Amino acid sequence: MTDINTYLTQLLPKLKPTDIEKASIQKSIEHLQKSIWGTFQDDLSAIEIFGSYDRGTMLSPSLDNEADVDVLVVFKVNKFQPQTYLNQIQKLSEKTYARSEVFPSHPTITVELEHIRFEIVPAYWEEGVFLDDLKIPAPHNKDLKWVDSDLHTFKKQVLTKNKDEGEKIIPIVQLIKYWNVINERPFNSYYLEDFASQRGFSSCRTLKGYF
């Protein structure tokens, strides 16, 4: 009989996006980036990929039909309220992906492709007293304005914890996310990742030891 640690170790590679999936996703990212740059041109500061895909915690889209790539569209200056930028991003997405479903999912514009989903977020950097603040649209349950974002801080939190734990936190997150998916998602995926990257562990040497 296979012990638990062996089972988890053998299961883990099956949870990750395959090389073919990653190549297809990367091709789609490059196509989207080209479309965004072509539309906004000199108004843009950068296009950043963030979220679970960027952190390496995303499950294979074949296992998780909600797997997505988060795309941050960073404008040089804030000329409009968030809804104007969201409307512009939706318009270019509908033009770029005429055969795909495109819809607002505040604070993002969602693009549903056959192999992956994009969540596109407008943003800009606001100059602060000591550090600049990254601004994104507020959640739908708040006033439709800009709010501070800790996207880069969260990525650092996860990657630092992963390094401190001998590169085991990202695998643990993927295992937990898979459990969450097959149990009809009782927990928010972001919450699970945040929990795993903040929890204290006592000298765990195997995957089993983290559970």
Side-chain angles (χ1 to χ4, degrees):
M1 180 179 293
T2 303
D3 63 44
I4 294 177
N5 192 65
T6 300
Y7 169 75
L8 294 175
T9 302
Q10 293 175 346
L11 173 63
L12 189 60
K14 301 175 184 178
L15 306 184
K16 303 174 184 292
T18 65
D19 290 341
I20 293 176
E21 286 175 330
K22 287 189 287 187
S24 179
I25 291 170
Q26 186 57 40
K27 184 177 180 180
S28 294
I29 289 173
E30 292 170 1
H31 179 67
L32 176 61
Q33 289 175 324
K34 183 178 179 180
S35 178
I36 293 173
W37 278 112
T39 299
F40 295 110
Q41 300 181 9
D42 293 340
D43 289 334
L44 283 189
S45 172
I47 300 172
E48 298 182 25
I49 304 302
F50 69 104
S52 61
Y53 181 79
D54 178 48
R55 294 188 298 272
T57 59
M58 188 181 85
L59 296 179
S60 165
S62 66
L63 299 174
D64 182 5
N65 61 9
E66 294 187 8
D68 60 25
V69 174
D70 297 297
V71 182
L72 195 69
V73 181
V74 186
F75 292 88
K76 290 180 179 178
V77 295
N78 175 29
K79 295 181 179 179
F80 310 107
Q81 287 297 324
Q83 190 59 54
T84 299
Y85 285 115
L86 289 167
N87 290 343
Q88 292 175 347
I89 290 172
Q90 181 172 354
K91 183 177 180 180
L92 85 85
S93 298
E94 290 171 342
K95 181 179 179 180
T96 304
Y97 302 103
R99 297 183 179 181
S100 299
E101 187 176 2
V102 177
F103 56 91
S105 181
H106 202 80
T108 75
I109 295 299
T110 299
V111 179
E112 294 272 9
L113 304 181
E114 289 185 0
H115 60 293
I116 194 62
R117 179 171 67 181
F118 286 126
E119 298 285 355
I120 310 173
V121 186
Y124 75 97
W125 285 98
E126 183 175 85
E127 185 175 350
V129 177
F130 299 106
L131 296 172
D132 292 346
D133 298 314
L134 180 64
K135 300 286 188 177
I136 64 172
H140 190 60
N141 59 349
K142 296 184 179 181
D143 291 337
L144 198 59
K145 296 182 180 178
W146 300 100
V147 295
D148 291 342
S149 170
D150 64 348
L151 300 178
H152 299 97
T153 302
F154 185 65
K155 177 182 177 180
K156 182 178 179 181
Q157 170 186 307
V158 173
L159 297 186
T160 298
K161 186 67 172 180
N162 186 57
K163 182 179 179 180
D164 291 345
E165 294 291 329
E167 310 296 328
K168 290 187 175 67
I169 291 301
I170 287 178
I172 289 300
V173 167
Q174 290 179 309
L175 288 166
I176 295 173
K177 283 186 173 182
Y178 178 62
W179 171 89
N180 197 50
V181 168
I182 63 177
N183 285 280
E184 299 183 352
R185 308 178 197 275
F187 298 102
N188 176 274
S189 180
Y190 180 92
Y191 166 79
L192 293 174
E193 197 160 339
D194 186 43
F195 176 79
S197 60
Q198 290 199 61
R199 184 181 178 185
F201 298 99
S202 180
S203 303
C204 299
R205 296 183 179 181
T206 64
L207 294 176
K208 175 184 174 182
Y210 285 88
F211 291 93

